[in-house]
Amino acid sequence: MADIDDQLQANTYIWSQSTDQITISFLVPENCNRKDLDIVIEQQNVRAGLKGQEPVLKGKLFAPVNHYESLWQLEKISTSPFSSLTTSPSLSIASSYALMSSPNHSPNSSMILPAPALTESLTNDLSADMQDIYQQAAALGSASARSSSSSIADDSLTQSPMMVNTPPTEQQQEQQDKQQDKEQDKEQAESARQATKYRILTIHLEKEREGMEWAVPVSKGLKSDFDIDVTSAYHLGGWFETRMADYQNAFKYYLCAAERNHTKSMMKVAALYEIDNPQPEGKTAVYEKDPKKAFEWYKRAADAVIESSGTSSSSGPDPLACYIVGNMYGAGSSEAGIEKNYEMALIYFNRAMNITAPRIDNEFGILEQDAEIPKSALRNHGPHSADERAFTSAAFQTGLIYLYGSQPEGESVRSVTHVEVDPKKAIRYWKEASMLGHAQASYNIGIMFANGMGVDQDLWQAGKWFGRAIKLDTTGKLVVPAEVEAVEWDANKEEVEKQKKAAAAAAAAAAAASKVGSSSKSRSLAQEKQRQPKEKKGRKRRSKRTKRDDDGTLGLIIALGSAAAVAGIVYFMYNRAIKKID
């Protein structure tokens, strides 16, 4: 199925399916008409595109279709609520399909970038787990040019050119001139692309077996396995990779599309070159791990030029590719043969931001005003879309470069180009990232305010940024420094101070009351101690008297007992004498 972030484009299609139908859509120039189109729908094969140009859709279908009931639909140029419908050859069938909404012509990447890491390392290690190739690609070279216990996140300007304050060497100047020429070519191509208007062409394929789920629209080429359009080759590569775990064939199809300028396939090829590819004994690997080739394909995707409809599958540079290439320049890689070059890193980070910023719904212009950022302009969640993740991550790295400059302490390998330290610019980039919900960016701005780096020291502002960071942090790893108190973003400083004073006064009163209570208790204890010896003496005297009384009573009892005993003996002797007389 089409990726979530896919948008309609002129050189590649998107598709979906229901229980009885496959729907495929792509863009064609607005001025083209029926005679300019080459569309053939057969029971097992399909071909669609502009005449004389490479088809947007071509190959053997995944399963047979009822080609008599299948049709294609071209969006009308007018605002009429009716769309023109044309069936496959020699048929004319009425349809109730609704007019589709206007397309979004912006190029877009379907690569999924993981949520920005709270600490981004300089390593270029790539996980061997192949279950999510997108995350492997995104994780490649993830990183700041530096990391520290209080690492600082990044915030990007929508239109923020790289700032270099040192005259470049002749070699660097030549490299910059070439890069500027490429940028100008891209801008011209983008202007031409934006000037071209498009409309939607939709193909409806009726499944012959209703209820059957298709894995891909096209399962193989027409005349050969690779006689196929680039989008279908990309989808087939994904099918072999994810469903069949056949990375050899996946690589073949990805490479087939990548060599024809399909940027998503370039990213896949680069990612596969980044990982080991062990093979069973006796089998030859189609590809082997090669960091240099991986970087070449990432860079090719980042440098892709937007082409006109039908001439190429390229829709311009991929923002994730720009981010990855920027990271690799920022970190350097001996395996890939890349020197650490902060100037080049800034170029690619800014390109990633410039590509994605127009597609992000946010008002960065608020930062131009020297005022508090309103809470309504701040996201209360992390970056959601691929564009937002690419933007915030690129801005994160840009801010780090400007914070430390090209000669940070503690680094043994330095950048071959020079970038001046500019903490104010770093804060500006981080603010833009924070507006989109980047937790680490918010935290690092708090660090800057707490330490007076690039701004006047302000613990209140630091507390606000820390408070925002903690709310956005989903890992629980961010900790507010003990010297700063985190506060709500819309908290009022005067009110908070009043509350603190009231709380302090209440605490003091409680302490005073507690002190008075303690004094009374101390006096009571002292009096108790004074009474205890007297009571003890009285108890002793009473004890002695009681003992004497008890002794007297006992003596009396003993005496009475003795008298009774004597009387008893006398009475016994008396009775005995009487008996003898008788």
Side-chain angles (χ1 to χ4, degrees), residues 165-196:
N165 300 318
T166 302
T169 63
E170 184 176 346
Q171 182 179 4
Q172 293 170 359
Q173 185 64 54
E174 182 180 354
Q175 188 178 29
Q176 289 181 21
D177 290 342
K178 289 181 179 179
Q179 193 64 39
Q180 288 174 1
D181 291 340
K182 288 182 180 180
E183 295 292 336
Q184 291 175 359
D185 291 341
K186 288 180 176 62
E187 290 175 3
Q188 293 174 359
E190 173 65 10
S191 298
R193 186 188 66 80
Q194 291 179 351
T196 302

mmCIF file of all heavy atoms in Angstrom, residues 165-196:
data_model
loop_
_atom_site.group_PDB
_atom_site.id
_atom_site.type_symbol
_atom_site.label_atom_id
_atom_site.label_comp_id
_atom_site.label_asym_id
_atom_site.label_seq_id
_atom_site.Cartn_x
_atom_site.Cartn_y
_atom_site.Cartn_z
ATOM 1 N N ASN A 165 32.483 32.750 8.401
ATOM 2 C CA ASN A 165 33.103 34.058 8.559
ATOM 3 C C ASN A 165 34.578 34.083 8.202
ATOM 4 O O ASN A 165 35.233 35.104 8.333
ATOM 5 C CB ASN A 165 32.934 34.536 10.005
ATOM 6 C CG ASN A 165 31.464 34.643 10.376
ATOM 7 O OD1 ASN A 165 30.669 35.115 9.574
ATOM 8 N ND2 ASN A 165 31.120 34.210 11.572
ATOM 9 N N THR A 166 35.106 32.962 7.762
ATOM 10 C CA THR A 166 36.514 32.901 7.387
ATOM 11 C C THR A 166 36.635 32.681 5.888
ATOM 12 O O THR A 166 35.966 31.809 5.345
ATOM 13 C CB THR A 166 37.216 31.752 8.123
ATOM 14 O OG1 THR A 166 37.070 31.950 9.528
ATOM 15 C CG2 THR A 166 38.695 31.709 7.765
ATOM 16 N N PRO A 167 37.458 33.480 5.163
ATOM 17 C CA PRO A 167 37.590 33.286 3.715
ATOM 18 C C PRO A 167 38.031 31.863 3.402
ATOM 19 O O PRO A 167 38.961 31.336 4.013
ATOM 20 C CB PRO A 167 38.678 34.306 3.345
ATOM 21 C CG PRO A 167 38.631 35.328 4.429
ATOM 22 C CD PRO A 167 38.270 34.578 5.668
ATOM 23 N N PRO A 168 37.357 31.192 2.464
ATOM 24 C CA PRO A 168 37.706 29.809 2.138
ATOM 25 C C PRO A 168 38.997 29.724 1.336
ATOM 26 O O PRO A 168 39.410 30.686 0.681
ATOM 27 C CB PRO A 168 36.507 29.346 1.308
ATOM 28 C CG PRO A 168 35.999 30.596 0.669
ATOM 29 C CD PRO A 168 36.229 31.678 1.674
ATOM 30 N N THR A 169 39.618 28.553 1.384
ATOM 31 C CA THR A 169 40.786 28.321 0.554
ATOM 32 C C THR A 169 40.344 28.178 -0.893
ATOM 33 O O THR A 169 39.164 28.108 -1.210
ATOM 34 C CB THR A 169 41.505 27.036 0.999
ATOM 35 O OG1 THR A 169 40.611 25.927 0.791
ATOM 36 C CG2 THR A 169 41.877 27.092 2.478
ATOM 37 N N GLU A 170 41.327 28.122 -1.806
ATOM 38 C CA GLU A 170 40.993 28.002 -3.231
ATOM 39 C C GLU A 170 40.219 26.719 -3.506
ATOM 40 O O GLU A 170 39.237 26.716 -4.254
ATOM 41 C CB GLU A 170 42.290 28.018 -4.054
ATOM 42 C CG GLU A 170 42.043 27.989 -5.551
ATOM 43 C CD GLU A 170 43.345 28.104 -6.334
ATOM 44 O OE1 GLU A 170 44.376 28.473 -5.727
ATOM 45 O OE2 GLU A 170 43.320 27.832 -7.541
ATOM 46 N N GLN A 171 40.632 25.627 -2.876
ATOM 47 C CA GLN A 171 39.943 24.354 -3.068
ATOM 48 C C GLN A 171 38.533 24.412 -2.488
ATOM 49 O O GLN A 171 37.566 23.947 -3.106
ATOM 50 C CB GLN A 171 40.725 23.230 -2.383
ATOM 51 C CG GLN A 171 40.101 21.844 -2.580
ATOM 52 C CD GLN A 171 40.925 20.761 -1.904
ATOM 53 O OE1 GLN A 171 41.914 21.052 -1.229
ATOM 54 N NE2 GLN A 171 40.515 19.519 -2.090
ATOM 55 N N GLN A 172 38.417 25.030 -1.306
ATOM 56 C CA GLN A 172 37.107 25.163 -0.692
ATOM 57 C C GLN A 172 36.196 26.063 -1.523
ATOM 58 O O GLN A 172 35.006 25.799 -1.683
ATOM 59 C CB GLN A 172 37.241 25.723 0.723
ATOM 60 C CG GLN A 172 37.940 24.788 1.700
ATOM 61 C CD GLN A 172 38.258 25.465 3.013
ATOM 62 O OE1 GLN A 172 37.976 26.655 3.192
ATOM 63 N NE2 GLN A 172 38.862 24.723 3.930
ATOM 64 N N GLN A 173 36.774 27.130 -2.086
ATOM 65 C CA GLN A 173 35.987 28.041 -2.905
ATOM 66 C C GLN A 173 35.456 27.341 -4.144
ATOM 67 O O GLN A 173 34.291 27.523 -4.532
ATOM 68 C CB GLN A 173 36.850 29.247 -3.322
ATOM 69 C CG GLN A 173 36.067 30.315 -4.086
ATOM 70 C CD GLN A 173 34.985 30.936 -3.227
ATOM 71 O OE1 GLN A 173 35.259 31.412 -2.136
ATOM 72 N NE2 GLN A 173 33.756 30.924 -3.716
ATOM 73 N N GLU A 174 36.299 26.509 -4.749
ATOM 74 C CA GLU A 174 35.872 25.759 -5.927
ATOM 75 C C GLU A 174 34.735 24.805 -5.574
ATOM 76 O O GLU A 174 33.751 24.682 -6.320
ATOM 77 C CB GLU A 174 37.062 24.976 -6.494
ATOM 78 C CG GLU A 174 36.721 24.199 -7.763
ATOM 79 C CD GLU A 174 37.928 23.435 -8.307
ATOM 80 O OE1 GLU A 174 39.041 23.601 -7.751
ATOM 81 O OE2 GLU A 174 37.744 22.676 -9.269
ATOM 82 N N GLN A 175 34.869 24.170 -4.422
ATOM 83 C CA GLN A 175 33.825 23.253 -3.966
ATOM 84 C C GLN A 175 32.523 24.001 -3.695
ATOM 85 O O GLN A 175 31.438 23.545 -4.066
ATOM 86 C CB GLN A 175 34.290 22.534 -2.700
ATOM 87 C CG GLN A 175 33.363 21.403 -2.244
ATOM 88 C CD GLN A 175 33.910 20.706 -1.010
ATOM 89 O OE1 GLN A 175 34.611 21.309 -0.208
ATOM 90 N NE2 GLN A 175 33.580 19.439 -0.850
ATOM 91 N N GLN A 176 32.639 25.187 -3.076
ATOM 92 C CA GLN A 176 31.456 25.984 -2.799
ATOM 93 C C GLN A 176 30.797 26.473 -4.084
ATOM 94 O O GLN A 176 29.568 26.495 -4.197
ATOM 95 C CB GLN A 176 31.813 27.181 -1.912
ATOM 96 C CG GLN A 176 32.163 26.806 -0.487
ATOM 97 C CD GLN A 176 32.496 28.022 0.360
ATOM 98 O OE1 GLN A 176 32.109 29.141 0.009
ATOM 99 N NE2 GLN A 176 33.224 27.810 1.439
ATOM 100 N N ASP A 177 31.610 26.866 -5.069
ATOM 101 C CA ASP A 177 31.058 27.339 -6.343
ATOM 102 C C ASP A 177 30.261 26.234 -7.027
ATOM 103 O O ASP A 177 29.171 26.471 -7.559
ATOM 104 C CB ASP A 177 32.185 27.813 -7.267
ATOM 105 C CG ASP A 177 32.834 29.099 -6.772
ATOM 106 O OD1 ASP A 177 32.199 29.791 -5.936
ATOM 107 O OD2 ASP A 177 33.959 29.396 -7.190
ATOM 108 N N LYS A 178 30.799 25.018 -7.002
ATOM 109 C CA LYS A 178 30.080 23.894 -7.609
ATOM 110 C C LYS A 178 28.764 23.646 -6.879
ATOM 111 O O LYS A 178 27.733 23.387 -7.501
ATOM 112 C CB LYS A 178 30.946 22.626 -7.564
ATOM 113 C CG LYS A 178 32.143 22.661 -8.508
ATOM 114 C CD LYS A 178 32.935 21.357 -8.417
ATOM 115 C CE LYS A 178 34.126 21.380 -9.373
ATOM 116 N NZ LYS A 178 34.932 20.128 -9.276
ATOM 117 N N GLN A 179 28.842 23.735 -5.542
ATOM 118 C CA GLN A 179 27.638 23.505 -4.761
ATOM 119 C C GLN A 179 26.593 24.571 -5.041
ATOM 120 O O GLN A 179 25.394 24.296 -5.150
ATOM 121 C CB GLN A 179 27.987 23.486 -3.266
ATOM 122 C CG GLN A 179 26.877 22.956 -2.372
ATOM 123 C CD GLN A 179 26.562 21.505 -2.657
ATOM 124 O OE1 GLN A 179 27.447 20.704 -2.917
ATOM 125 N NE2 GLN A 179 25.283 21.173 -2.637
ATOM 126 N N GLN A 180 27.041 25.832 -5.187
ATOM 127 C CA GLN A 180 26.110 26.919 -5.474
ATOM 128 C C GLN A 180 25.474 26.756 -6.849
ATOM 129 O O GLN A 180 24.292 27.045 -7.042
ATOM 130 C CB GLN A 180 26.841 28.263 -5.381
ATOM 131 C CG GLN A 180 27.193 28.664 -3.955
ATOM 132 C CD GLN A 180 28.039 29.923 -3.896
ATOM 133 O OE1 GLN A 180 28.360 30.511 -4.925
ATOM 134 N NE2 GLN A 180 28.404 30.335 -2.694
ATOM 135 N N ASP A 181 26.264 26.276 -7.815
ATOM 136 C CA ASP A 181 25.709 26.022 -9.148
ATOM 137 C C ASP A 181 24.604 24.966 -9.077
ATOM 138 O O ASP A 181 23.556 25.092 -9.718
ATOM 139 C CB ASP A 181 26.814 25.558 -10.109
ATOM 140 C CG ASP A 181 27.794 26.678 -10.437
ATOM 141 O OD1 ASP A 181 27.418 27.855 -10.253
ATOM 142 O OD2 ASP A 181 28.927 26.367 -10.864
ATOM 143 N N LYS A 182 24.857 23.931 -8.282
ATOM 144 C CA LYS A 182 23.840 22.884 -8.124
ATOM 145 C C LYS A 182 22.587 23.450 -7.472
ATOM 146 O O LYS A 182 21.466 23.139 -7.865
ATOM 147 C CB LYS A 182 24.388 21.729 -7.279
ATOM 148 C CG LYS A 182 25.427 20.878 -7.992
ATOM 149 C CD LYS A 182 25.858 19.729 -7.093
ATOM 150 C CE LYS A 182 26.892 18.854 -7.794
ATOM 151 N NZ LYS A 182 27.332 17.716 -6.939
ATOM 152 N N GLU A 183 22.798 24.312 -6.466
ATOM 153 C CA GLU A 183 21.657 24.910 -5.781
ATOM 154 C C GLU A 183 20.837 25.760 -6.745
ATOM 155 O O GLU A 183 19.601 25.735 -6.727
ATOM 156 C CB GLU A 183 22.129 25.770 -4.596
ATOM 157 C CG GLU A 183 22.805 24.995 -3.476
ATOM 158 C CD GLU A 183 21.834 24.091 -2.745
ATOM 159 O OE1 GLU A 183 20.624 24.366 -2.767
ATOM 160 O OE2 GLU A 183 22.297 23.100 -2.157
ATOM 161 N N GLN A 184 21.523 26.519 -7.598
ATOM 162 C CA GLN A 184 20.820 27.350 -8.567
ATOM 163 C C GLN A 184 20.041 26.500 -9.562
ATOM 164 O O GLN A 184 18.900 26.825 -9.923
ATOM 165 C CB GLN A 184 21.813 28.251 -9.304
ATOM 166 C CG GLN A 184 22.418 29.336 -8.417
ATOM 167 C CD GLN A 184 23.484 30.143 -9.133
ATOM 168 O OE1 GLN A 184 23.802 29.886 -10.296
ATOM 169 N NE2 GLN A 184 24.035 31.127 -8.447
ATOM 170 N N ASP A 185 20.648 25.396 -10.001
ATOM 171 C CA ASP A 185 19.949 24.492 -10.924
ATOM 172 C C ASP A 185 18.686 23.935 -10.268
ATOM 173 O O ASP A 185 17.630 23.829 -10.902
ATOM 174 C CB ASP A 185 20.871 23.339 -11.343
ATOM 175 C CG ASP A 185 22.016 23.807 -12.239
ATOM 176 O OD1 ASP A 185 21.885 24.907 -12.821
ATOM 177 O OD2 ASP A 185 23.014 23.080 -12.334
ATOM 178 N N LYS A 186 18.818 23.579 -8.997
ATOM 179 C CA LYS A 186 17.661 23.042 -8.285
ATOM 180 C C LYS A 186 16.559 24.092 -8.151
ATOM 181 O O LYS A 186 15.371 23.802 -8.304
ATOM 182 C CB LYS A 186 18.077 22.547 -6.898
ATOM 183 C CG LYS A 186 18.894 21.259 -6.928
ATOM 184 C CD LYS A 186 19.252 20.848 -5.526
ATOM 185 C CE LYS A 186 19.990 19.517 -5.531
ATOM 186 N NZ LYS A 186 21.243 19.575 -6.261
ATOM 187 N N GLU A 187 16.970 25.331 -7.830
ATOM 188 C CA GLU A 187 15.988 26.398 -7.679
ATOM 189 C C GLU A 187 15.261 26.663 -8.993
ATOM 190 O O GLU A 187 14.043 26.864 -9.023
ATOM 191 C CB GLU A 187 16.671 27.670 -7.183
ATOM 192 C CG GLU A 187 17.152 27.579 -5.738
ATOM 193 C CD GLU A 187 17.922 28.810 -5.309
ATOM 194 O OE1 GLU A 187 18.025 29.753 -6.142
ATOM 195 O OE2 GLU A 187 18.413 28.838 -4.175
ATOM 196 N N GLN A 188 16.014 26.660 -10.099
ATOM 197 C CA GLN A 188 15.402 26.881 -11.407
ATOM 198 C C GLN A 188 14.444 25.743 -11.753
ATOM 199 O O GLN A 188 13.344 25.972 -12.246
ATOM 200 C CB GLN A 188 16.482 27.017 -12.474
ATOM 201 C CG GLN A 188 17.332 28.276 -12.337
ATOM 202 C CD GLN A 188 18.494 28.309 -13.318
ATOM 203 O OE1 GLN A 188 18.681 27.380 -14.109
ATOM 204 N NE2 GLN A 188 19.283 29.369 -13.260
ATOM 205 N N ALA A 189 14.875 24.514 -11.475
ATOM 206 C CA ALA A 189 14.011 23.365 -11.766
ATOM 207 C C ALA A 189 12.764 23.394 -10.905
ATOM 208 O O ALA A 189 11.664 23.094 -11.372
ATOM 209 C CB ALA A 189 14.784 22.065 -11.529
ATOM 210 N N GLU A 190 12.937 23.791 -9.636
ATOM 211 C CA GLU A 190 11.792 23.874 -8.740
ATOM 212 C C GLU A 190 10.819 24.949 -9.194
ATOM 213 O O GLU A 190 9.600 24.765 -9.173
ATOM 214 C CB GLU A 190 12.280 24.163 -7.314
ATOM 215 C CG GLU A 190 11.181 24.440 -6.301
ATOM 216 C CD GLU A 190 10.291 23.248 -6.055
ATOM 217 O OE1 GLU A 190 10.615 22.136 -6.517
ATOM 218 O OE2 GLU A 190 9.235 23.427 -5.404
ATOM 219 N N SER A 191 11.367 26.089 -9.651
ATOM 220 C CA SER A 191 10.506 27.170 -10.145
ATOM 221 C C SER A 191 9.720 26.709 -11.366
ATOM 222 O O SER A 191 8.527 26.987 -11.501
ATOM 223 C CB SER A 191 11.355 28.398 -10.494
ATOM 224 O OG SER A 191 12.020 28.886 -9.351
ATOM 225 N N ALA A 192 10.420 25.992 -12.255
ATOM 226 C CA ALA A 192 9.752 25.489 -13.462
ATOM 227 C C ALA A 192 8.681 24.472 -13.088
ATOM 228 O O ALA A 192 7.590 24.443 -13.667
ATOM 229 C CB ALA A 192 10.774 24.863 -14.401
ATOM 230 N N ARG A 193 9.004 23.629 -12.092
ATOM 231 C CA ARG A 193 8.044 22.616 -11.675
ATOM 232 C C ARG A 193 6.815 23.257 -11.058
ATOM 233 O O ARG A 193 5.677 22.859 -11.329
ATOM 234 C CB ARG A 193 8.685 21.664 -10.669
ATOM 235 C CG ARG A 193 7.802 20.494 -10.288
ATOM 236 C CD ARG A 193 8.411 19.714 -9.145
ATOM 237 N NE ARG A 193 8.437 20.516 -7.933
ATOM 238 C CZ ARG A 193 7.384 20.702 -7.147
ATOM 239 N NH1 ARG A 193 6.235 20.148 -7.445
ATOM 240 N NH2 ARG A 193 7.471 21.438 -6.065
ATOM 241 N N GLN A 194 7.031 24.280 -10.232
ATOM 242 C CA GLN A 194 5.912 24.947 -9.597
ATOM 243 C C GLN A 194 5.073 25.713 -10.609
ATOM 244 O O GLN A 194 3.867 25.888 -10.435
ATOM 245 C CB GLN A 194 6.408 25.877 -8.490
ATOM 246 C CG GLN A 194 6.993 25.129 -7.296
ATOM 247 C CD GLN A 194 7.509 26.056 -6.220
ATOM 248 O OE1 GLN A 194 7.583 27.267 -6.430
ATOM 249 N NE2 GLN A 194 7.870 25.497 -5.083
ATOM 250 N N ALA A 195 5.716 26.181 -11.683
ATOM 251 C CA ALA A 195 4.985 26.911 -12.717
ATOM 252 C C ALA A 195 4.095 25.977 -13.523
ATOM 253 O O ALA A 195 3.103 26.413 -14.109
ATOM 254 C CB ALA A 195 5.961 27.637 -13.630
ATOM 255 N N THR A 196 4.461 24.694 -13.573
ATOM 256 C CA THR A 196 3.658 23.719 -14.307
ATOM 257 C C THR A 196 2.481 23.283 -13.456
ATOM 258 O O THR A 196 2.647 22.905 -12.309
ATOM 259 C CB THR A 196 4.519 22.490 -14.671
ATOM 260 O OG1 THR A 196 5.636 22.912 -15.432
ATOM 261 C CG2 THR A 196 3.689 21.494 -15.480
#
